[in-house]
Amino acid sequence: MTEQTLNRGVTTERGQEPAATAELTLELVVAQRQFPARGVLALTLRDPSGGELPAWEPGAHMDLLLREGLVRQYSLCSDPADRSSWRIAVLREEPGRGGSAHVHEQLTEGARVRVRGPRNNFALRPAPRYRFIAGGIGITPILPMVRAAEAAGADWSLLYGGRTRAAMAFTDQLARYGDRVRLVPQDEEGLLDLASYPGEPRPDTLVYCCGPGPLLDAVEQVCASWPPGSLNAERFQPRSPLHDSADHPFEVVLARTGRTLTVPTHVSVLDAVRAAGTEVLFSCTEGTCGTCETDVLEGTPDHRDSLLSEEERAAGESMMICVSRCRGSRLVLDL
């Protein structure tokens, strides 16, 4: 979720305060392993002492700190009202970068794992009407949203696609909602029919979508004419770079210490800041998770993330320092 240029009327609503330099880290135990679909492992995590876990809202995700240099983000897909455990679901990716394989192979029942968060860049906002769209493992953040929409008495529906029916997780849980949920296995019915769903633009409707990049690209095109803020999307992977500026060196001033750094052409702000000895939280290093979001006090960021809306980009009040740069010669950051 690197650079993203959203169409007019499409924003990503986020719920996390920027510029954090400390965040809750816990050690949890794997209490249960289940396989809700082919290739998908669901883990139930608990406090080893039986204590309550921190509260969270639909759309939240957390980091699994698997080993040094291996950090992965996964959406929470359990019931936020149940503070006794968290649940995540992990698709084993072949080939992948090692994170999903580590989870599937190493996180056996009874194993301890460090986690960080939760944080929410995909918050469910109140609305009388929702249209949810999920592709593959993108169903995970949508599950708690569906539960919340149902509890609130909202008018909602879900269009959920996957490569095969056997590969679509949590269909048993969704069955209780009847015809509010439409399952579309690609090998049986083809691609999702986005020409008719989510329908005509309505000011009372919010669209929430999570899934692979091509699906999100298609939904963004469909919702380009909708009112600003209607579409809320979360990406698991960064978009192809769409920025129109070349890299160049620039200065970064760390406002809390007054120190000035030079960021070379092929070095990220994050790496330059860390090399200077300043501790900054980070995770994905791809501009998708929001962990490194930092307040901008002066200067104009060159946004290359997959989180900020067009309105937030224009405001220039914060940036993801793992991928974004400077359009001018100098930035002053709240670090």
Side-chain angles (χ1 to χ4, degrees):
M1 293 174 274
T2 329
E3 204 276 344
Q4 165 176 256
T5 300
L6 296 176
N7 293 310
R8 184 177 61 82
V10 180
T11 66
T12 301
E13 191 70 20
R14 300 169 305 110
Q16 179 72 19
E17 289 297 323
T21 55
E23 196 170 41
L24 183 65
T25 300
L26 303 171
E27 182 178 77
L28 302 182
V29 62
V30 178
Q32 188 177 45
R33 286 168 52 101
Q34 297 174 308
F35 290 89
R38 187 175 62 235
V40 177
L41 170 64
L43 296 180
T44 299
L45 306 174
R46 299 184 186 274
D47 184 291
S49 64
E52 284 193 338
L53 299 180
W56 59 279
E57 299 292 334
H61 70 272
M62 67 173 185
D63 298 338
L64 284 188
L65 311 179
L66 299 173
R67 62 170 184 264
E68 183 66 30
L70 187 61
V71 180
R72 293 293 183 266
Q73 300 79 42
Y74 298 105
S75 297
L76 293 168
C77 59
S78 47
D79 183 353
D82 182 2
R83 300 278 297 276
S84 68
S85 66
W86 288 345
R87 185 177 61 186
I88 60 173
V90 180
L91 172 67
R92 179 153 190 164
E93 299 181 270
E94 302 287 358
R97 295 184 298 160
S100 65
H102 183 103
V103 172
H104 277 245
E105 296 171 7
Q106 303 298 322
L107 296 189
T108 56
E109 289 188 7
R112 300 291 183 97
V113 61
R114 292 173 63 232
V115 306
R116 187 171 61 203
R119 72 183 67 88
N120 200 340
N121 301 316
F122 192 39
L124 182 69
R125 293 179 287 148
R129 192 169 182 263
Y130 297 100
R131 293 296 174 259
F132 298 111
I133 304 170
I137 198 62
I139 191 61
T140 51
I142 301 297
L143 273 180
M145 294 184 178
V146 163
R147 185 182 293 109
E150 178 75 5
D155 175 1
W156 68 270
S157 61
L158 166 63
L159 184 65
Y160 176 21
R163 292 181 179 176
T164 66
R165 192 175 298 272
M168 297 171 68
F170 304 116
T171 55
D172 56 337
Q173 295 184 33
L174 293 169
R176 74 186 70 170
Y177 300 119
D179 60 7
R180 285 181 179 266
V181 176
R182 184 184 173 197
L183 304 180
V184 185
Q186 185 176 343
D187 63 338
E188 299 176 21
E189 302 185 38
L191 298 175
L192 298 180
D193 180 12
L194 297 178
S196 60
Y197 187 95
E200 294 298 317
R202 288 179 48 164
D204 66 342
T205 304
L206 294 180
V207 179
Y208 279 81
C209 180
C210 186
L215 171 62
L216 271 65
D217 293 342
V219 173
E220 286 178 1
Q221 292 181 10
V222 167
C223 292
S225 61
W226 283 55
S230 297
L231 175 61
N232 302 267
E234 182 172 64
R235 292 178 179 269
F236 292 139
Q237 297 177 333
R239 292 187 60 164
S240 299
L242 297 175
H243 56 274
D244 57 4
S245 57
D247 287 358
H248 64 272
F250 56 93
E251 289 186 345
V252 167
V253 179
L254 309 183
R256 300 184 190 180
T257 63
R259 187 171 184 181
T260 298
L261 311 175
T262 297
V263 180
T265 300
H266 299 299
V267 176
S268 70
V269 176
L270 173 65
D271 286 344
V273 167
R274 294 184 67 228
T278 298
E279 291 297 324
V280 182
L281 282 179
F282 68 97
S283 185
C284 72
T285 69
E286 297 179 325
T288 62
C289 73
T291 307
C292 69
E293 185 174 5
T294 301
D295 287 337
V296 178
L297 304 181
E298 295 180 29
T300 304
D302 180 4
H303 295 293
R304 303 183 180 189
D305 64 276
S306 299
L307 277 171
L308 295 176
S309 69
E310 288 298 326
E311 292 81 4
E312 290 167 323
R313 288 166 181 260
E317 295 177 352
S318 69
M319 63 185 285
M320 309 303 162
I321 62 173
C322 65
V323 291
S324 297
R325 300 183 66 81
C326 178
R327 288 198 173 273
S329 60
R330 182 174 178 269
L331 287 172
V332 180
L333 302 180
D334 186 20
L335 291 174

